[in-house]
Amino acid sequence: MGYNSILNWLLDTSIKASVIIIVIISFKFILKDRIGANLNYNIWFLLLAKLIIPFAPKTSFSIYNLLHILYSNISAIGDIVQNNSHNTVELINSNITELDINRFGFNFNEINSINLTNLCFKLVCIWGLVAIGIVLFAIVNDVIFRKNLNKCSILKDRNIIATYNACLEKMHINRDIPIIMTDMISTPAIYGVIRPKILLPLNITELLDENELKYVFLHELSHYKRKDVVVFCLVTICKALNWFNPIVWFGLNSMKFDCEIACDALVLSYIKNDELIEYGNTILNLLKKVNNKVVKPLGVVGMLGYKSNLKRRIIMITKFKKRTFKIVTISIVTVCLMGGMLLTNAKGETNFSISQLKGENVKNEMLWPIPNKYIVINDYGLKTHPEIKKQKFHTGIDINAKKGDLIVAVKSGRVQYSGELDSYGQAIIVAHDNGLSTLYAHCEELLVKEGQNIKAGEGIAKVGSTGSATAPHLHFEVRQNGKHVNPLLEEYLGNILEKNNGN
């Protein structure tokens, strides 16, 4: 996978994740708090799935069909404008000089022009460094936290342990999960993916009575049953990979808050109806008596969450209804239907990319310019010129061939230039759609004329060694919106060469 492919995948995933967030927020806003706490939280897993799973099937009921149609219409308008521009230039001057050729995007002395490969490389490096930095910060923070936690003592109060054991039994948890007393957190929390631990502030027994501690234990054990620590770790990784998209961060933070609501619902399913108020009062009481700072270490899930969202959390507690078969069925059907629309791709779509934002066609579907001749003797980039012995930017590729071998058009288009072109010798320039142009140089014989429409695979010239060439070969260039790009990128000739390498 090239740098441009990585960037395209990131952009595609980020755009679609943003669409999912907007749809989920709209769905929740319309229904307000009438949907259950579990559905309220579980629909966020559609976002997590989109950020984690790199591939998806194409369906006719995908929501992205709308975006695909919109993009197609914009591209069609762009093609009309672009074609009119080319026609206007040709009417102004039919005798093409080197200066005119530069207007078509072939400024052959332009060594310092920006090319897509270098841009993608820089952007991917920046993205990777920031993402790695965020993940490393979280890991280092976690290592330091775990090291300090090992110095803390295990709870030994028999009365509290008896209450805790009763909670374990009520929730049908047979695993030994120790309780650690520590001053490194301000609120009760659960910590650890492989070896989970319940963390309690040192002064917790002064803040809460035994009955309130029961609700604290039920809440943290609910996090354990739901595997929320694992989910929060995945959320941290997804935030790191999408650090550049504030919409994704907002969505993932909303998911973490709704996790607390779903966790409250699980606790309420294990207690009696007349205990709902007591559970809500425990959360309020704890919030009043502690400094509610959000727990930072990776793998730590606290009880209070964000103070700004507490009002809605209390409202959801008062509206709690125990799950029935009907509610569970509706939740499953809703998530499945939304998943079908949001986790599938549009039929016939290509990934959103940097190229599309510039009005380019990602899927160029080129042919190889010399049939059955796949040896590249000089590739794209800074090279030493064979005659002047100085480094110059080689703006295309040289393909090994015999004199007289047929050169074909790599893609349908219109001949913009056919004739002598300085050091390029006998050359042909073909304009294609979406700002794409190709150049075929050092030809022995030209088979097409300016203004002629040609089809992909049609013979346009024969290999020679005219111009500054020292031996027969084809010099082939690709220009995208006037900027030279590497012809061996995956979206141009890269796939063809890879399949036929060595032939």
Side-chain angles (χ1 to χ4, degrees):
M1 181 180 286
Y3 298 114
N4 61 320
S5 299
I6 295 174
L7 205 59
N8 288 345
W9 171 75
L10 279 173
L11 182 62
D12 177 64
T13 303
S14 186
I15 291 174
K16 291 179 178 177
S18 300
V19 172
I20 291 175
I21 293 168
I22 293 171
V23 171
I24 290 175
I25 292 174
S26 301
F27 175 75
K28 293 170 68 174
F29 176 78
I30 293 171
L31 296 180
K32 298 190 182 295
D33 295 323
R34 288 191 288 272
I35 61 176
N38 286 290
L39 177 58
N40 198 59
Y41 172 59
N42 290 336
I43 53 177
W44 286 114
F45 280 93
L46 300 176
L47 170 62
L48 211 58
K50 172 54 68 176
L51 294 173
I52 294 174
I53 303 173
F55 306 105
K58 297 178 181 180
T59 63
S60 57
F61 50 83
S62 171
I63 193 173
Y64 308 112
N65 284 300
L66 300 176
L67 297 180
H68 185 57
I69 293 172
L70 178 62
Y71 165 68
S72 299
N73 291 336
I74 293 174
S75 297
I77 295 173
D79 291 344
I80 294 173
V81 173
Q82 190 175 54
N83 290 334
N84 288 338
S85 298
H86 287 313
N87 292 337
T88 302
V89 171
E90 290 178 5
L91 286 173
I92 291 174
N93 191 352
S94 59
N95 298 317
I96 301 177
T97 63
E98 185 173 359
L99 178 62
D100 293 317
I101 295 299
N102 291 339
R103 290 182 187 174
F104 292 119
F106 284 89
N107 181 1
F108 301 113
N109 296 319
E110 185 185 10
I111 295 176
N112 297 320
S113 65
I114 299 174
N115 65 79
L116 190 58
T117 305
N118 291 336
L119 176 63
C120 289
F121 173 75
K122 293 175 182 177
L123 291 176
V124 169
C125 286
I126 293 172
W127 164 77
L129 288 173
V130 176
I132 292 171
I134 294 173
V135 173
L136 285 178
F137 176 80
I139 292 174
V140 170
N141 200 18
D142 179 72
V143 170
I144 295 173
F145 183 83
R146 185 184 301 135
K147 184 178 179 181
N148 293 330
L149 191 64
N150 291 333
K151 302 175 184 178
C152 299
S153 59
I154 297 177
L155 177 70
K156 297 180 180 179
D157 189 301
R158 292 183 179 179
N159 293 330
I160 297 178
I161 291 176
T163 302
Y164 177 60
N165 288 334
C167 293
L168 285 170
E169 184 178 354
K170 178 177 285 192
M171 300 193 76
H172 308 291
I173 298 175
N174 297 320
R175 184 169 183 174
D176 180 27
I177 304 175
I179 300 176
I180 306 296
M181 305 298 293
T182 176
D183 60 353
M184 293 189 296
I185 60 170
S186 59
T187 66
I190 186 168
Y191 169 72
V193 175
I194 300 175
R195 297 177 180 176
K197 303 173 181 65
I198 301 293
L199 309 182
L200 296 179
L202 290 176
N203 62 340
I204 191 70
T205 55
E206 300 174 5
L207 303 176
L208 303 176
D209 59 31
E210 186 176 318
N211 192 52
E212 289 174 322
L213 279 174
K214 178 185 73 173
Y215 298 129
V216 169
F217 292 141
L218 288 173
H219 185 91
E220 299 310 326
L221 291 174
S222 294
H223 278 306
Y224 169 75
K225 282 185 75 76
R226 295 170 52 83
K227 308 302 178 187
D228 290 332
V229 176
V230 177
V231 174
F232 276 38
C233 289
L234 291 176
V235 166
T236 299
I237 294 172
C238 289
K239 289 174 73 172
L241 295 177
N242 295 272
W243 57 264
F244 55 90
N245 190 335
I247 299 177
V248 171
W249 274 60
F250 174 80
L252 292 173
N253 286 335
S254 299
M255 179 182 183
K256 292 174 72 173
F257 167 65
D258 286 339
C259 175
E260 291 299 328
I261 294 179
C263 192
D264 289 336
L266 184 58
V267 173
L268 298 177
S269 68
Y270 281 99
I271 63 177
K272 299 177 182 178
N273 290 335
D274 56 3
E275 294 182 271
L276 299 185
I277 296 177
E278 293 181 29
Y279 177 72
N281 286 335
T282 299
I283 297 175
L284 293 173
N285 188 30
L286 190 61
L287 185 65
K288 292 176 183 177
K289 296 180 179 179
V290 301
N291 178 20
N292 183 33
K293 57 184 180 182
V294 179
V295 182
K296 296 291 178 72
L298 182 69
V300 174
V301 181
M303 180 176 180
L304 293 182
Y306 298 93
K307 184 185 294 186
S308 58
N309 295 319
L310 185 63
K311 180 179 178 181
R312 182 163 170 264
R313 188 173 169 187
I314 297 298
I315 291 173
M316 294 298 286
I317 291 174
T318 60
K319 292 184 177 182
F320 171 75
K321 292 181 180 179
K322 291 192 176 183
R323 288 189 294 177
T324 63
F325 177 78
K326 180 181 178 181
I327 293 175
V328 172
T329 303
I330 292 175
S331 298
I332 293 174
V333 171
T334 301
V335 172
C336 289
L337 289 176
M338 292 183 69
M341 292 187 295
L342 298 174
L343 296 182
T344 56
N345 293 327
K347 274 195 169 182
E349 82 166 29
T350 56
N351 287 344
F352 293 103
S353 68
I354 292 292
S355 300
Q356 285 184 349
L357 293 180
K358 291 168 61 179
E360 302 166 8
N361 184 10
V362 177
K363 216 175 178 184
N364 282 305
E365 298 179 346
M366 286 185 173
L367 302 176
W368 191 258
I370 305 180
N372 302 318
K373 297 293 178 70
Y374 301 104
I375 298 177
V376 177
I377 55 177
N378 197 11
D379 57 8
Y380 177 86
L382 200 60
K383 307 290 178 183
T384 301
H385 196 278
E387 289 187 350
I388 63 177
K389 305 300 180 183
K390 291 183 179 180
Q391 281 200 329
K392 294 190 67 177
F393 199 94
H394 193 238
T395 54
I397 60 172
D398 293 339
I399 302 173
N400 188 39
K402 295 180 181 179
K403 185 175 181 180
D405 283 346
L406 184 66
I407 301 169
V408 302
V410 298
K411 189 175 173 68
S412 298
R414 188 178 186 186
V415 179
Q416 280 190 321
Y417 183 76
S418 179
E420 191 75 24
L421 191 61
D422 296 333
S423 61
Y424 285 85
Q426 295 278 355
I428 290 175
I429 299 172
V430 180
H432 310 284
D433 54 1
N434 296 300
L436 183 72
S437 298
T438 52
L439 169 88
Y440 312 76
H442 305 312
C443 303
E444 176 69 21
E445 181 182 356
L446 306 180
L447 306 178
V448 292
K449 298 180 181 179
E450 295 171 18
Q452 183 176 337
N453 293 322
I454 55 176
K455 295 181 179 180
E458 182 178 342
I460 58 175
K462 292 185 178 180
V463 173
S465 58
T466 57
S468 62
T470 56
H473 71 279
L474 170 66
H475 175 83
F476 176 75
E477 292 189 9
V478 175
R479 295 269 165 153
Q480 189 73 69
N481 289 340
K483 303 296 182 181
H484 60 73
V485 296
N486 187 351
L488 297 182
L489 287 176
E490 183 179 354
E491 57 264 44
Y492 301 116
L493 298 178
N495 285 331
I496 303 174
L497 184 62
E498 183 178 349
K499 292 177 182 178
N500 297 277
N501 193 21
N503 290 346

